[in-house]
Amino acid sequence: MSESQSQLRDSNGPRSQAREPGPESELDEPKPPDSPHFESFGINAGWVEEIESQYRVDAGSVDESWCEEFGAAPAAFAARGAREQPRVVRPPSAVPPPEPSSFSTGPANDTGPLGGIDPAQSVDSPELEHPANGTSNGSLRHLSGDAMLLHTADKHARVLRLIHSYRARGHRIAQSDPLGGQSTYFPELDPAHYGFGNESLDEPFIAGDLPGGSVQTLRQILKRLGKTYCGPIGVEYTHVQDPGRKAWLRQLMEESQNDPNLEDGERRRILEKLVAAELFETFLHTKFLGQKRFSLEGGESLIPLLDHIVESAPAFGIREVVLGMAHRGRLNVLANILGKSYESIFSEFEDSPNIHSPFGSGDVKYHKGFSSDRYVLSGERVHLTLTSNPSHLEAVNPVVEGRTKAKQVRAGDTDGETIVPVIIHGDAAFAGQGMVAETVNLSQLDGYCTGGTIHVIVNNQIGYTTTPSEARSTLYCSDVAKMIQVPIFHVNGDHPEAVIHVVKLAMAYRQRFGDDVVIDLVCYRRHGHNEGDEPSFTQPRLYRKIRNKSSVEEIYREQQVSSGRLSSEEAALIEQQRKTALREALELIHSRPPGPDEPYEPRGPWTGYSRLRPDEPLDTAVSLARLVQIAQGISRVPSYFNVHQKLQTILDSRHEAVTEGLAIDWGLAEALAFGSLLLEGMPVRLSGQDCSRGTFSHRHAVLVDQDSGEEYTPLAHIADTQARFEVYDSLLSEAAVLGFEYGYSLADPSSLVLWEAQFGDFANGAQVIIDQFITSAHVKWGRMSGLVMLLPHGYEGQGPEHSSARVERFLQTCAEDCLQIVNCTTPVQFFHVLRRQMLRNYRAPLAIFTPKSLLRHPKATSRVEEFSQGAFQELIDDPVARANPAAVRRLVLCTGKVHYDLVTERAKRLGDRIGEVALVRLEQLYPWPEAAIGELLDRYGDTQDVVWCQEEPQNMGPWSFVWPRIQSLLGDPRRLRYAGRDESASPATGSLRTHKAQLERFLEDALGGL
Ligand SMILES: Cc1ncc(C[n+]2csc(CCOP(=O)(O)OP(=O)(O)O)c2C)c(N)n1
Ligand SMILES: [Mg+2]
């Protein structure tokens, strides 16, 4: 095993600390080699050594001033001028590639990328051409010492530039496309571009840090560079800023020359996996004719690739892989990587839905998740999880990340070394979907980093019917990943050994540096987008080519047999075994009647949790003593800590509110809820834009020392034995961050996981996560989540975009207990509902429409006794009216902040007759509190005038949802009346004056005429 290969295997040592560039300057250009002899010349030592070797051959060819340095008598220079005149050599336009390099020979009669200009002339006169070490044709003895030195240095510098160009641009002519579409010429990779011709090939040059010796002939240099960077692997890595990372990868690649050099066992394994991948598709194709499966054909190398990740995981200390992927090849991955039985997959093709399924309406087979324990060849176990995902391409990415993060946190894997996310993408989707950029942007952020994701793009060079030139403005489909400075490997899918080599590099890099890595698996798609699609309608020439192409399995098998590594009998046996397994599985499902589905049993961390909603209310009160303990904890800072003076006042008042029984506001109620859960052993994780202070400056979960800038999080220090409290100001994204938190909640039901929208309006930027995951995952995939969404909502005259969290959208999705939706009007209700979310074993996502102006509204406060007694109330009756229902002439129902407008208006209009109007608050909109509302309507059964009042326009807010439900409970002849804003296309007016006028008008509708 070569040194570089053993480094690949042994790279699971401690991670490099090199997240930030080290103190040395960033050097994209290679350094000259260090010379032990001329260290005093520093970075120029290499040049000086070179001059010395020139001097040894021809003392007269170097400047006199060097003689003392080299220990010779100045007299040695007397011979100057005695040698023959230098021969002028004009470089041809290009150099033929040294075997077996793939670099271009360039256009045959081209004058070269510099239009025939000899770069040497830029520093010397035309006749200055001179072999670097004087071993070949001619000398430049007539030159002055300085000119000679410059000339020589320039020539070596040009070679070093050439070397750098291969490192940076070699991928431009790499043979990474199995369809042969890659370029064969790129000017900066042509030696002629640097003024070198054929006759220079055997000249020795300083090779910098290129392995193979500090001085190498140009031929040797080009050969190594060509093999390393222009074979079936094209690699982009010089954009990585950290010199340490770059040098590490460069060394591994250049020493091995990216030659996979696999062992026989590895080769056989590749063939077995390719056979399995191909036969799986062709079997489905013939047995389930016309059914969609989104075949992997053309990209079968994905299977040996993923197989290698799993097989080599234990050697890297990895014990779990969390996968996410779209439709393409998903069934193949389920069967051949996760070990889902052929029988279960075939049964799904038979489509016999179980009407008793606990998962409701279910999903198509190529969206479903799966998990398994795989025992790799070494006997060790690797847990594999494929996350369920919707059609919405790339939406699963942040979910995979969040899920991985939660698993890592639970396992105490702070650096993400043992649990690894692997996401498989399509080329068009990776380039096109913003979710990709958002997700990779999370990758290095505190609170979201998972220690590096292995991204694999199944780059079949087409998206549905769209070609790459239509699908992106970038050169590569992977270019967006460059923003996070990670290496990108483009590898030819028809070269499975190169694919395995790339996986080794990628895994070693990820494990060492904790960064993402991207593998662009360049392949093709054998059929149409799905198997019923005719690809020649849109890409006739491409598909003519593809039709005539041998599969990667055929190519590889042929290589193995012809090289004598495998007999054709052995190859046939591998194929036969796989065919038999497939056939037997099909026979099995045909011969036995479909059995009942296994009863659904939550497993792992979900053991004991349920989606069966308990009916009885839960006591969520917290003892006074504990509330005081929390209040002390959250208002305490270390003695050295210098808090902002205003914040100190807030901290003091929080403490007093609890100990002295004063008004408790929203911020404090939330802190008391969090603190109580933490003390009961339940971790709390909150993330969202600017949420640690709070958009409305009400939370102050993180304090900043006014001198040192140090941060202190009081909730994390309430007691010695408490659970973990984390709060993160997120990336300015909704979709990826909400997706991440949703993913986190999937893997950790015992933590309170909250995402806060800056304003509720922005939540629709994450609509795909809400619709495709949060609200529907349980009925589609049987996945529970206890995620909480905090959605600031309320009409305060701030314009169309800071008013509505689109209550109607959430309500519209409500069915089958998919969500809980609350709109609390008091801090204590907020406290109790947060506690209820954790204290029940029931887990369903919770959307809370949270206040803005109410955060500081003097009436929207609670008293400490309400925290130490009671529970969340789904509906709050009017205390005055309730005392005398017979006096009530009008019943006005509402939810949220408008309640306070109604209270004020009622007092203004009715004075001491307020008991004639009952103002009732619906605190929970879903699950619909039917029993409580029914009771309420009975209580005020004599009241004929029943109104629903809302501040949103009639086509928005809860009206459409509540109207049929309340009306059916009211029964004839009572009719529910509407008081609210008129229908509108935009959620709110941009004019404060209009806002107020609208408010007055609908308050008149609600309370007028009494
Ligand atoms: C967000 C989203 N938009 C559109 C689609 C419809 N769609 C399904 S597959 C596909 C093409 C995907 O191309 P690519 O990412 O290259 O994957 P491939 O199918 O080639 O493997 C499209 C547009 C989708 N599934 N998701
Ligand atoms: Mg594609």
Side-chain angles (χ1 to χ4, degrees):
M1 200 190 298
S2 72
E3 198 189 331
S4 57
Q5 283 171 323
S6 66
Q7 277 195 52
L8 279 178
R9 295 258 161 93
D10 303 339
S11 304
N12 52 346
R15 286 212 168 146
S16 157
Q17 76 302 2
R19 274 192 191 249
E20 300 205 345
E24 70 266 50
S25 65
E26 197 242 317
L27 280 179
D28 260 1
E29 293 285 345
K31 291 189 299 186
D34 291 332
S35 162
H37 307 302
F38 302 109
E39 275 165 12
S40 59
F41 288 89
I43 198 166
N44 294 318
W47 311 128
V48 179
E49 193 171 51
E50 178 61 16
I51 294 164
E52 191 215 11
S53 63
Q54 195 174 320
Y55 162 80
R56 299 274 172 231
V57 175
D58 180 359
S61 68
V62 304
D63 189 88
E64 275 185 37
S65 58
W66 287 108
C67 76
E68 273 181 39
E69 190 61 52
F70 301 144
F77 290 93
R80 170 178 279 201
R83 295 263 175 104
E84 60 181 300
Q85 290 295 306
R87 190 162 57 88
V88 176
V89 180
R90 285 196 171 275
S93 61
V95 181
E99 288 296 318
S101 157
S102 58
F103 77 79
S104 160
T105 56
N109 294 314
D110 197 285
T111 52
L114 298 185
I117 298 168
D118 176 1
Q121 291 183 33
S122 60
V123 288
D124 294 315
S125 60
E127 64 275 15
L128 294 188
E129 221 23 66
H130 176 62
N133 63 2
T135 53
S136 61
N137 44 13
S139 76
L140 299 173
R141 276 163 292 155
H142 65 288
L143 284 180
S144 76
D146 283 352
M148 186 64 234
L149 180 60
L150 262 180
H151 172 72
T152 306
D154 172 67
K155 210 165 176 186
H156 288 275
R158 280 184 271 130
V159 170
L160 293 176
R161 272 173 48 217
L162 173 75
I163 293 172
H164 175 69
S165 287
Y166 269 81
R167 289 169 173 164
R169 304 268 181 265
H171 56 87
R172 296 300 304 264
I173 59 167
Q175 298 166 351
S176 53
D177 182 1
L179 298 175
Q182 74 276 343
S183 302
T184 52
Y185 183 74
F186 191 74
E188 285 180 339
L189 303 174
D190 184 347
H193 183 74
Y194 305 87
F196 297 114
N198 279 331
E199 70 292 339
S200 303
L201 282 175
D202 294 311
E203 279 184 38
F205 289 96
I206 291 169
D209 50 10
L210 189 71
S214 54
V215 176
Q216 299 178 45
T217 63
L218 185 58
R219 190 188 298 279
Q220 289 170 319
I221 289 170
L222 288 169
K223 183 174 178 188
R224 184 175 292 270
L225 292 170
K227 272 197 80 179
T228 307
Y229 295 113
C230 308
I233 299 168
V235 56
E236 293 180 274
Y237 72 109
T238 52
H239 57 277
V240 175
Q241 300 273 319
D242 174 34
R245 283 165 161 76
K246 220 168 10 192
W248 182 88
L249 187 57
R250 182 174 66 224
Q251 193 184 345
L252 272 184
M253 294 193 297
E254 290 178 356
E255 276 178 1
S256 67
Q257 298 183 63
N258 276 335
D259 179 353
N261 198 10
L262 302 184
E263 289 164 8
D264 283 349
E266 293 178 293
R267 292 198 171 99
R268 193 187 164 91
R269 179 92 185 167
I270 290 175
L271 184 63
E272 285 170 356
K273 291 291 136 188
L274 288 175
V275 167
E278 184 176 320
L279 282 181
F280 178 79
E281 298 292 354
T282 48
F283 191 82
L284 290 180
H285 196 67
T286 49
K287 302 297 175 194
F288 300 99
L289 211 60
Q291 286 215 43
K292 281 190 207 168
R293 62 177 198 284
F294 298 107
S295 149
L296 184 60
E297 284 158 279
E300 289 94 331
S301 286
L302 177 69
I303 298 301
L305 185 162
L306 294 176
D307 179 67
H308 189 84
I309 290 178
V310 179
E311 283 294 326
S312 62
F316 282 106
I318 297 166
R319 56 178 184 75
E320 181 163 355
V321 180
V322 184
L323 291 133
M325 73 181 295
H327 53 288
R328 177 81 49 220
R330 191 176 174 102
L331 297 177
N332 212 317
V333 169
L334 278 166
N336 290 316
I337 300 298
L338 283 104
K340 184 167 180 176
S341 72
Y342 289 152
E343 291 97 282
S344 358
I345 295 174
F346 295 165
S347 309
E348 287 171 344
F349 275 91
E350 302 279 332
D351 192 18
S352 42
N354 182 347
I355 51 167
H356 305 299
S357 166
F359 302 157
S361 42
D363 201 351
V364 293
K365 49 194 166 292
Y366 37 83
H367 287 167
K368 291 183 185 171
F370 191 74
S371 65
S372 64
D373 281 332
R374 197 170 121 180
Y375 289 87
V376 300
L377 291 176
S378 65
E380 285 157 291
R381 189 182 63 168
V382 182
H383 187 65
L384 303 176
T385 313
L386 178 61
T387 305
S388 311
N389 72 298
S391 265
H392 294 57
L393 295 167
E394 307 294 341
V396 78
N397 302 359
V399 178
V400 170
E401 298 296 338
R403 193 176 188 194
T404 307
K405 181 76 185 175
K407 284 170 179 270
Q408 291 171 344
V409 171
R410 277 193 8 242
D413 179 7
T414 43
D415 288 338
E417 287 176 324
T418 65
I419 304 173
V420 177
V422 175
I423 305 183
I424 298 145
H425 313 263
D427 53 317
F430 197 81
Q433 291 290 305
M435 192 71 95
V436 174
E438 290 192 19
T439 306
V440 297
N441 210 352
L442 287 172
S443 67
Q444 291 301 316
L445 300 180
D446 195 22
Y448 307 90
C449 173
T450 51
T453 300
I454 300 177
H455 297 275
V456 182
I457 306 172
V458 179
N459 178 1
N460 54 18
Q461 310 189 62
I462 195 157
Y464 222 124
T465 62
T466 303
T467 54
S469 61
E470 296 161 324
R472 58 180 193 256
S473 295
T474 56
L475 178 61
Y476 294 114
C477 62
S478 52
D479 280 350
V480 66
K482 275 194 190 159
M483 74 190 224
I484 50 164
Q485 308 218 359
V486 295
I488 298 167
F489 302 94
H490 308 280
V491 58
N492 189 323
D494 270 1
H495 286 253
E497 292 189 8
V499 172
I500 298 302
H501 181 71
V502 158
V503 183
K504 290 180 180 180
L505 289 170
M507 285 186 77
Y509 190 93
R510 189 265 175 205
Q511 288 302 98
R512 188 175 183 88
F513 298 113
D515 284 346
D516 286 21
V517 281
V518 179
I519 300 173
D520 174 18
L521 178 67
V522 190
C523 52
Y524 57 95
R525 189 186 71 192
R526 182 159 298 280
H527 306 286
H529 173 61
N530 60 55
E531 295 62 40
D533 237 11
E534 176 49 68
S536 302
F537 288 161
T538 47
Q539 277 82 23
R541 288 188 306 163
L542 175 67
Y543 274 85
R544 208 170 305 137
K545 187 166 190 173
I546 289 174
R547 256 198 305 277
N548 296 326
K549 228 184 127 3
S550 302
S551 73
V552 54
E553 188 271 328
E554 285 167 334
I555 296 170
Y556 193 62
R557 174 165 35 89
E558 178 53 32
Q559 277 171 10
Q560 297 306 298
V561 172
S562 60
S563 65
R565 291 202 182 94
L566 195 76
S567 69
S568 37
E569 291 75 27
E570 279 175 297
L573 188 64
I574 291 173
E575 194 171 309
Q576 200 46 51
Q577 284 168 343
R578 192 53 70 164
K579 274 186 179 157
T580 308
L582 287 160
R583 205 190 50 244
E584 285 176 357
L586 190 62
E587 283 166 6
L588 192 69
I589 62 154
H590 282 160
S591 65
R592 81 170 175 215
D597 272 10
E598 280 182 23
Y600 173 61
E601 283 290 342
R603 285 179 299 169
W606 284 97
T607 308
Y609 290 98
S610 162
R611 273 298 288 241
L612 292 176
R613 181 164 48 88
D615 285 333
E616 61 284 358
L618 183 77
D619 180 3
T620 45
V622 172
S623 74
L624 198 56
R626 179 147 282 190
L627 290 168
V628 170
Q629 182 192 7
I630 300 164
Q632 277 166 350
I634 59 172
S635 51
R636 191 171 50 214
V637 294
S639 55
Y640 63 84
F641 200 86
N642 186 8
V643 190
H644 191 284
Q645 215 180 341
K646 277 192 186 158
L647 286 181
Q648 187 61 60
T649 313
I650 291 175
L651 295 184
D652 294 344
S653 67
R654 283 182 173 179
H655 185 234
E656 271 177 41
V658 176
T659 53
E660 312 285 318
L662 307 177
I664 292 177
D665 66 8
W666 235 276
L668 177 53
E670 182 190 84
L672 291 172
F674 289 170
S676 65
L677 294 170
L678 294 168
L679 292 178
E680 288 164 50
M682 282 164 268
V684 175
R685 176 190 163 93
L686 167 64
S687 114
Q689 291 152 26
D690 309 291
C691 70
S692 61
R693 187 202 70 172
T695 296
F696 312 105
S697 203
H698 72 290
R699 181 170 289 124
H700 304 295
V702 178
L703 307 173
V704 181
D705 187 295
Q706 297 299 297
D707 296 324
S708 66
E710 192 188 322
E711 294 187 346
Y712 181 76
T713 307
L715 274 164
H717 302 282
I718 308 171
D720 290 341
T721 52
Q722 68 163 83
R724 196 181 51 256
F725 177 73
E726 293 168 289
V727 54
Y728 297 106
D729 290 342
S730 78
L731 173 71
L732 208 170
S733 133
E734 281 72 33
V737 179
L738 181 58
F740 188 98
E741 301 309 332
Y742 169 74
Y744 197 104
S745 75
L746 283 182
D748 190 1
S750 56
S751 287
L752 175 63
V753 184
L754 308 102
W755 172 73
E756 183 170 68
Q758 186 131 61
F759 283 86
D761 317 54
F762 301 120
N764 64 5
Q767 202 66 51
V768 61
I769 301 296
I770 295 167
D771 292 344
Q772 265 58 41
F773 292 92
I774 294 173
T775 58
S776 56
H778 185 249
V779 296
K780 290 194 296 189
W781 312 315
R783 300 300 317 188
M784 287 190 264
S785 158
L787 179 73
V788 178
M789 289 174 279
L790 303 179
L791 307 165
H793 172 82
Y795 281 60
E796 286 148 9
Q798 290 191 46
E801 262 70 72
H802 291 94
S803 300
S804 177
R806 300 290 196 162
V807 181
E808 65 280 3
R809 295 257 166 88
F810 289 88
L811 289 171
Q812 190 209 22
T813 60
C814 285
E816 303 181 83
D817 271 1
C818 66
L819 272 181
Q820 306 165 83
I821 299 183
V822 302
N823 192 350
C824 305
T825 52
T826 64
V828 73
Q829 281 281 86
F830 186 43
F831 168 88
H832 285 302
V833 82
L834 287 174
R835 286 182 51 75
R836 184 184 78 169
Q837 182 69 357
M838 293 308 292
L839 296 182
R840 299 196 288 196
N841 72 345
Y842 172 71
R843 286 289 178 274
L846 167 63
I848 307 182
F849 295 100
T850 53
K852 296 172 288 174
S853 61
L854 287 197
L855 293 169
R856 294 182 178 80
H857 194 294
K859 286 196 179 141
T861 57
S862 306
R863 295 178 324 280
V864 70
E865 312 84 75
E866 298 174 87
F867 293 77
S868 58
Q869 296 161 17
F872 177 73
Q873 300 173 62
E874 295 172 345
L875 178 153
I876 302 179
D877 195 356
D878 186 326
V880 180
R882 192 190 166 109
N884 184 10
V888 173
R889 295 167 58 203
R890 183 176 296 170
L891 173 59
V892 180
L893 295 131
C894 72
T895 186
K897 172 183 119 339
V898 73
H899 168 76
Y900 292 96
D901 295 323
L902 287 165
V903 168
T904 310
E905 189 67 17
R906 180 180 65 172
K908 207 166 82 187
R909 286 172 182 256
L910 300 184
D912 55 7
R913 292 193 294 123
I914 58 169
E916 292 178 18
V917 176
L919 297 180
V920 176
R921 295 168 257 179
L922 234 60
E923 300 280 299
Q924 176 170 299
L925 290 162
Y926 193 82
W928 179 244
E930 184 159 319
I933 297 173
E935 265 177 45
L936 178 100
L937 297 179
D938 287 349
R939 194 175 304 136
Y940 300 105
D942 296 335
T943 311
Q944 296 304 305
D945 193 3
V946 185
V947 178
W948 173 261
C949 181
Q950 68 176 34
E951 55 185 357
E952 299 88 350
Q954 191 167 5
N955 55 327
M956 298 174 192
W959 169 247
S960 306
F961 180 82
V962 299
W963 174 69
R965 288 173 172 80
I966 296 178
Q967 185 57 55
S968 75
L969 291 171
L970 272 179
D972 287 338
R974 295 199 288 178
R975 305 221 69 78
L976 183 67
R977 195 156 64 76
Y978 174 76
R981 289 186 163 85
D982 291 343
E983 286 189 347
S984 164
S986 165
T989 170
S991 147
L992 183 60
R993 188 188 296 249
T994 310
H995 162 82
K996 285 181 178 160
Q998 289 171 342
L999 175 65
E1000 266 176 41
R1001 204 174 58 235
F1002 78 73
L1003 288 177
E1004 166 66 22
D1005 289 347
L1007 298 171
L1010 286 165

